[in-house]
Amino acid sequence: MPRDFKRADRVAGSLRRELAQLIQMEVKDPEVGFIGLSDVEVSRDLGHAKVYVTVFEPEKAASSIKALNKAAGYLRRRLGQEMRIRSVPELHFEHDASVETGHRMDSLIETAVSSDRQNDADGEPSDEE
């Protein structure tokens, strides 16, 4: 019976947990800012890992990603010390804009709903009749 999880998925989960702690506790660069790790994808050969980062201050997203990519070597070395893995994947940090997209969609929906309410209040006939 085959296993449910691939090794790359297990390594990605471990990397995500360890990276979150390392970034919070050991990265002192103020350019990193207030971030969260959304996901980690590890290649099949375990040589590269894409780390998707949510930046909670959207105007600082580019500088945060740049600072994290600058600290990637240090983080990779620390991961090698913390994890029981033969070789630690090369880290590539990328901005995950899903939170900003969600906020933008929420505001668009709210605008549409309030526009519909305004039209109903003005006495215009609705399409439901």
Side-chain angles (χ1 to χ4, degrees):
M1 179 176 218
R3 288 188 253 174
D4 289 340
F5 296 103
K6 296 181 279 183
R7 183 161 192 251
D9 293 339
R10 292 192 311 269
V11 169
S14 296
L15 277 174
R16 185 170 181 255
R17 281 189 300 279
E18 291 294 332
L19 267 175
Q21 286 183 333
L22 286 174
I23 290 171
Q24 180 182 15
M25 300 295 188
E26 296 189 18
V27 175
K28 302 296 184 202
D29 190 348
E31 289 293 317
V32 171
F34 187 49
I35 64 163
L37 298 184
S38 352
D39 194 21
V40 175
E41 291 179 0
V42 178
S43 63
R44 287 185 60 189
D45 66 354
L46 305 179
H48 297 272
K50 285 185 184 178
V51 182
Y52 294 97
V53 178
T54 301
V55 181
F56 295 106
E57 299 170 277
E59 62 278 356
K60 295 183 179 181
S63 63
S64 293
I65 298 300
K66 185 177 179 181
L68 285 169
N69 279 318
K70 192 170 110 180
Y74 170 75
L75 290 170
R76 186 176 181 205
R77 183 169 50 87
R78 288 292 293 131
L79 284 170
Q81 294 169 352
E82 296 293 325
M83 295 177 64
R84 293 180 47 185
I85 187 171
R86 184 174 296 151
S87 66
V88 178
E90 188 175 330
L91 303 174
H92 306 281
F93 291 93
E94 296 187 14
H95 181 240
D96 180 13
S98 61
V99 172
E100 292 124 27
T101 303
H103 286 302
R104 190 170 50 82
M105 295 298 278
D106 284 343
S107 70
L108 288 172
I109 290 170
E110 183 59 36
T111 302
V113 167
S114 65
S115 173
D116 285 349
R117 285 186 189 139
Q118 183 64 33
N119 288 342
D120 288 344
D122 290 343
E124 293 182 10
S126 64
D127 294 336
E128 296 173 5
E129 294 178 12

